[in-house]
Amino acid sequence: MAVLENIRKRTTVLILIIGLALFAFVISGVLSNDMGGGAKVGSSVGEVNGDEISIDQFRRNVEAYSRMAGPSASSMQVVNQVWERELRTTILDQQFEELGIQVGHDQIINYIKTIPTYVQNPEFHNADGVFDENRFKAAVADWKANNPARYNLWLQDEQAIIQNAKEQAYFNLVRAGVASTLKEGELEYNLANNKVDIKYVRVPYSSIPDSTISVSKKEIEAYVKAHKEDFKQNASRDIQFVYFEEKPSVEDDAQVKQEITSLLEDQVEYNTQKDANDTILGFRNTKDIAAFLDRYSDEKFDTIYKAKNQLSPKFADTLMALSKGAVFGPYKDGGFYKVTKMIDKKSDGSVKASHILIAYEGAQNANPEVTRTKEEAEKKAKELLREARGNDAIFTQLARDNSDGPSAPRGGDLGYFQEGVMVEEFNDFAFKNSVGSIGLVETDFGFHVVKVDDKQDIVQIATLARELEPSEETVNALFTEATKFEMDAIDSKDFAATAKAGNFVVRPVNKINAMDEVLPGLSAQRAIVQWAFNEGTKLGEVKRFDINNGYAVVQLTAKYKEGLMAAEDASVLVLPKIRKEKKAAQIIKANNGKSIDAFAKDNNITESTASALTMKSPTIPGAGAEPYVVGSAFAMEQGATSGLLEGETGVYMITVTKKEEAPKLDNYSTYANNLQAAAAGRVNISVYNALKDASEIEDKRATFY
């Protein structure tokens, strides 16, 4: 932050460095004078250091981002991503305004030249195929005059480009102020290379049972107050709920099974037009499988042949063993009842092969870098064929080292394929030869050294499937059950007891934040979170919610205000810390003034050693990270023994057995440069996070979403 303060003190200089004008020349400035932005209207979705974020613009941004993100992103994921982007833009814009940072025409053009979608677009290229800013500006002018839709898209891009160019200028200025001295480089070198050996005795804190250490509520409160920054909390809520899942009943299961079973055999139906009975062929005897499944099944006829590993793992063995025309089922697979009929089988119908492709100049799809002739390619392929057939040959390695095909990194592996997938010559070799065969095949792509790795039988099956779904009666009964539980829980004022009486499972969800969406056990349920945070919702209140596949009856069980954690809430975090402090004090009191040998003997501990410890990585093997203990060792003289040291995992006493200083270097610039590069690489993230932490942010999203 000191760097930022120095930047602020040099605002005038920065303005002169970044641009001579106090306004930016925007590309569309030739086309429009609008820098974007505009007056904020309506209420705000948040405030950053007193600057409002307009809800109207925020909603437009959410809509635009939703279209880009597609259906895979939930509404709250989009809202949260847009919020973080708006926060960043607002915080950095405040910095730009304070420092007078603007961007000019050249900076914008230079930034555009880093964007592949513009630089690689032939529309903006000159006769030499190079990005031409004049052609680019002419294109923008043409869009404005003749293609308003594309021009509007450009204006959106332009604002992002301006913002990114400003950020680049800002962070470059901060980065320019990041430096590491040779002295810092020397320190870094010494931290990593000065070494110390110790022998030590450690009495671990775990040697004292937690049950023997009493901690009062007042001690927890005092600890929380003394470490306020560690125990801040956001406003949050606890709930508990009972989930009533909408699923098929036993009766529904039996009904679906009966329906699919009835479709197996032929049925006689009266035909009113003929005034006679017709025989309707069932699944077992139908002559038109595709039409039958179109009419009666929830899964259509798939004509593709499949190997065993492509079938349902639970039933694959049974299905593969069916003879042609045989039927298996009904069986339950996933959420369906199924009956499967074997239509056709092909022995060794799927082949797994590997190859080494030797291409030549002029071959189909040959890499332009391939310059060998066809004769040279054939000669090399024959040499590789002989080598591949050798007893010690590793085909995958030969393919990696020699193949010109895209499968080379995979050792030439082409996976499994069926007849007709590969070119004719390759196909014939793979299917006419046995597993393990290696041969040479010529195609339009070049010469292939082919190895047949495996063969599988494949089958064509037809599956009559009916999805298991709850019936209307089941759905109505579930609604009645959930509603009754809701009313009983409200009347009894004892949610848990009511659930126990009905043999329902109560599930708690704790510390829900105002902008949470996903609740464990219920997935995305924004409505429940909003209800829990509604000012009108009272502690202990119960409400039923319609959710995907059922209902949730929810009770609000706790409210937490923003601020410092209460002792009860912080106890889980604080108790281990206070216990450790008390255990350390107890061990130190019992062993004060003892020699290292007496310390070991009286605590029945064996003396240990650790060598080549460094300050850069202050870890003691077998004990873990112990920065204080290792740091103490470096501060001691060789041969000296410490007093009792309060470490992370126990109380230590150490003797320094050896100290080794790293050899002096003539120059520490390499270490200084590495430090500077690492610090410069962290500038974007570190500076923004520091600005964000220092900002006063009021988040009102929960009011609108």
Side-chain angles (χ1 to χ4, degrees):
M1 294 307 292
V3 174
L4 292 179
E5 185 59 32
N6 288 332
I7 291 174
R8 293 191 179 97
K9 291 176 181 177
R10 292 167 174 78
T11 300
T12 304
V13 176
L14 283 173
I15 295 171
L16 292 172
I17 292 172
I18 297 169
L20 297 176
L22 292 176
F23 58 92
F25 176 83
V26 184
I27 297 299
S28 65
V30 183
L31 327 167
S32 76
N33 292 320
D34 184 16
M35 273 290 286
K40 296 175 181 174
V41 294
S43 54
S44 66
V45 71
E47 290 185 16
V48 181
N49 299 322
D51 286 349
E52 293 186 345
I53 299 175
S54 165
I55 182 59
D56 302 307
Q57 183 60 48
F58 188 85
R59 282 173 172 154
R60 285 192 289 271
N61 291 341
V62 168
E63 289 172 9
Y65 197 90
S66 294
R67 289 192 292 270
M68 289 190 293
S72 60
S74 72
S75 59
M76 288 311 298
Q77 285 176 326
V78 172
V79 167
N80 293 337
Q81 287 169 342
V82 172
W83 171 255
E84 289 302 322
R85 190 179 66 183
E86 290 294 318
L87 272 187
R88 179 183 175 86
T89 299
T90 305
I91 289 170
L92 291 176
D93 278 349
Q94 290 170 349
Q95 291 293 301
F96 303 156
E97 183 177 354
E98 183 177 349
L99 298 172
I101 291 181
Q102 299 289 340
V103 290
H105 167 263
D106 291 341
Q107 287 168 295
I108 295 172
I109 285 291
N110 287 337
Y111 192 84
I112 289 172
K113 288 178 180 178
T114 68
I115 305 174
T117 52
Y118 288 105
V119 176
Q120 297 171 8
N121 190 335
E123 186 178 4
F124 313 134
H125 289 178
N126 58 23
D128 297 324
V130 178
F131 177 83
D132 187 322
E133 65 177 271
N134 292 321
R135 289 182 65 86
F136 172 69
K137 287 192 286 187
V140 174
D142 181 65
W143 299 340
K144 184 179 182 182
N146 303 308
N147 192 341
R150 189 168 182 187
Y151 180 68
N152 286 332
L153 288 175
W154 155 247
L155 289 179
Q156 294 176 24
D157 273 0
E158 181 185 58
Q159 293 307 311
I161 288 167
I162 293 169
Q163 182 70 19
N164 289 337
K166 286 182 179 180
E167 288 188 19
Q168 188 179 68
Y170 175 75
F171 287 122
N172 282 345
L173 287 166
V174 177
R175 202 171 283 111
V178 174
S180 293
T181 65
L182 290 176
K183 207 64 182 172
E184 288 173 314
E186 182 180 0
L187 175 61
E188 178 72 5
Y189 169 77
N190 288 332
L191 288 175
N193 294 285
N194 287 348
K195 295 174 183 177
V196 65
D197 296 352
I198 63 172
K199 64 178 182 179
Y200 68 91
V201 174
R202 175 182 67 119
V203 177
Y205 299 130
S206 58
S207 64
I208 301 175
D210 286 350
S211 58
T212 64
I213 306 296
S214 61
V215 180
S216 68
K217 181 179 177 181
K218 285 186 177 180
E219 287 176 310
I220 295 174
E221 289 174 343
Y223 191 95
V224 169
K225 287 179 181 178
H227 303 83
K228 290 182 179 180
E229 289 301 314
D230 297 332
F231 296 98
K232 287 182 178 179
Q233 67 177 8
N234 296 321
S236 60
R237 301 288 186 268
D238 290 351
I239 64 168
Q240 59 183 357
F241 69 92
V242 171
Y243 177 37
F244 294 84
E245 185 180 3
E246 205 171 82
K247 59 183 180 181
S249 65
V250 174
E251 293 75 17
D252 296 334
D253 187 290
Q255 177 65 25
V256 173
K257 185 177 181 181
Q258 189 276 324
E259 288 174 0
I260 201 169
T261 302
S262 69
L263 291 168
L264 273 171
E265 309 302 338
D266 301 345
Q267 297 183 34
V268 177
E269 291 184 2
Y270 176 71
N271 189 320
T272 55
Q273 293 180 345
K274 296 180 181 179
D275 191 24
N277 289 333
D278 281 345
T279 298
I280 309 299
L281 296 179
F283 183 61
R284 196 185 300 275
N285 299 318
T286 183
K287 307 301 182 191
D288 191 342
I289 283 288
F292 187 92
L293 295 183
D294 279 346
R295 182 175 181 184
Y296 296 111
S297 177
D298 291 333
E299 290 183 3
K300 305 306 177 189
F301 180 41
D302 185 354
T303 59
I304 296 174
Y305 284 77
K306 293 181 173 64
K308 179 180 176 181
N309 61 3
Q310 295 174 289
L311 303 177
S312 172
K314 189 175 179 181
F315 301 98
D317 288 333
T318 302
L319 296 177
M320 291 297 293
L322 291 175
S323 59
K324 190 173 179 178
V327 172
F328 170 67
Y331 62 95
K332 193 185 291 187
D333 185 21
F336 292 81
Y337 263 112
K338 296 180 178 180
V339 177
T340 296
K341 183 177 183 179
M342 179 62 70
I343 305 300
D344 192 21
K345 303 179 86 168
K346 289 183 181 180
S347 179
D348 294 340
S350 179
V351 173
K352 184 176 186 289
S354 304
H355 79 140
I356 305 169
L357 171 62
I358 306 301
Y360 53 84
E361 189 174 12
Q364 186 173 331
N365 292 351
N367 191 311
E369 296 178 1
V370 174
T371 58
R372 70 173 70 92
T373 65
K374 183 176 181 179
E375 291 73 19
E376 289 171 337
E378 183 176 13
K379 181 182 178 182
K380 181 175 181 180
K382 287 179 178 178
E383 291 172 355
L384 285 167
L385 175 63
R386 286 193 295 272
E387 190 173 352
R389 285 174 169 172
N391 292 333
D392 299 328
I394 302 175
F395 194 91
T396 54
Q397 191 60 52
L398 288 173
R400 287 193 189 98
D401 294 342
N402 298 281
S403 181
D404 295 322
S407 64
R410 303 190 301 274
D413 184 10
L414 297 170
Y416 285 93
F417 52 89
Q418 296 182 22
E419 287 236 39
V421 173
M422 299 296 183
V423 293
E424 184 178 356
E425 301 87 350
F426 198 106
N427 181 88
D428 289 348
F429 180 88
F431 282 92
K432 289 179 181 179
N433 288 279
S434 59
V435 173
S437 298
I438 299 175
L440 184 63
V441 172
E442 180 185 353
T443 71
D444 292 340
F445 298 94
F447 294 91
H448 307 256
V449 179
V450 184
K451 180 184 178 188
V452 181
D453 296 316
D454 190 25
K455 291 192 175 185
Q456 294 181 337
D457 294 345
I458 55 174
V459 295
Q460 185 187 54
I461 58 175
T463 298
L464 171 63
R466 284 289 178 90
E467 187 174 4
L468 275 165
E469 295 182 307
S471 64
E472 186 176 346
E473 291 80 6
T474 299
V475 171
N476 291 338
L478 186 72
F479 172 78
T480 301
E481 186 178 41
T483 304
K484 182 178 184 302
F485 174 76
E486 176 191 18
M487 302 309 297
D488 290 347
I490 292 171
D491 292 341
S492 70
K493 293 183 171 55
D494 191 333
F495 192 90
T498 305
K500 185 176 181 180
N503 200 28
F504 300 122
V505 177
V506 177
R507 306 180 192 182
V509 183
N510 298 328
K511 296 299 176 69
I512 302 167
N513 292 317
M515 291 308 297
D516 283 349
E517 178 182 27
V518 176
L519 301 178
L522 291 175
S523 67
Q525 297 301 330
R526 183 64 189 153
I528 295 176
V529 177
Q530 289 175 315
W531 168 79
F533 277 88
N534 190 305
E535 291 183 4
T537 304
K538 297 177 181 177
L539 204 59
E541 191 169 328
V542 175
K543 185 175 180 179
R544 173 178 50 80
F545 291 87
D546 294 358
I547 62 173
N548 294 334
N549 300 320
Y551 306 93
V553 179
V554 185
Q555 183 183 43
L556 179 63
T557 56
K559 293 183 177 183
Y560 303 94
K561 293 181 179 179
E562 183 177 4
L564 209 56
M565 286 185 182
E568 294 80 5
D569 303 325
S571 62
V572 175
L573 301 172
V574 174
L575 277 173
K577 298 177 184 295
I578 297 179
R579 284 193 186 117
K580 189 173 86 168
E581 289 179 356
K582 289 193 170 188
K583 289 178 181 181
Q586 188 173 313
I587 294 169
I588 290 171
K589 182 179 179 181
N591 294 279
N592 250 335
K594 292 181 179 178
S595 67
I596 191 168
D597 292 335
F599 183 50
K601 181 180 178 182
D602 293 348
N603 290 279
N604 198 26
I605 300 291
T606 303
E607 188 176 81
S608 301
T609 61
S611 58
L613 302 178
T614 69
M615 288 287 283
K616 185 74 173 177
S617 180
T619 299
I620 298 176
E626 290 289 0
Y628 176 69
V629 177
V630 175
S632 298
F634 274 96
M636 295 163 57
E637 296 293 332
Q638 184 170 316
T641 299
S642 72
L644 295 172
L645 304 173
E646 188 176 333
E648 295 296 317
T649 60
V651 173
Y652 289 76
M653 186 177 289
I654 64 174
T655 296
V656 176
T657 56
K658 181 182 178 182
K659 293 186 78 173
E660 182 182 347
E661 287 191 8
K664 300 293 182 183
L665 301 181
D666 293 334
N667 192 298
Y668 296 94
S669 59
T670 300
Y671 290 89
N673 290 339
N674 289 341
L675 281 175
Q676 182 170 332
R682 295 191 298 268
V683 161
N684 288 35
I685 295 174
S686 300
V687 170
Y688 171 68
N689 287 339
L691 292 170
K692 184 179 177 181
D693 290 342
S695 296
E696 292 183 10
I697 299 170
E698 185 177 359
D699 185 354
K700 305 177 187 176
R701 283 177 294 162
T703 306
F704 301 95
Y705 294 95

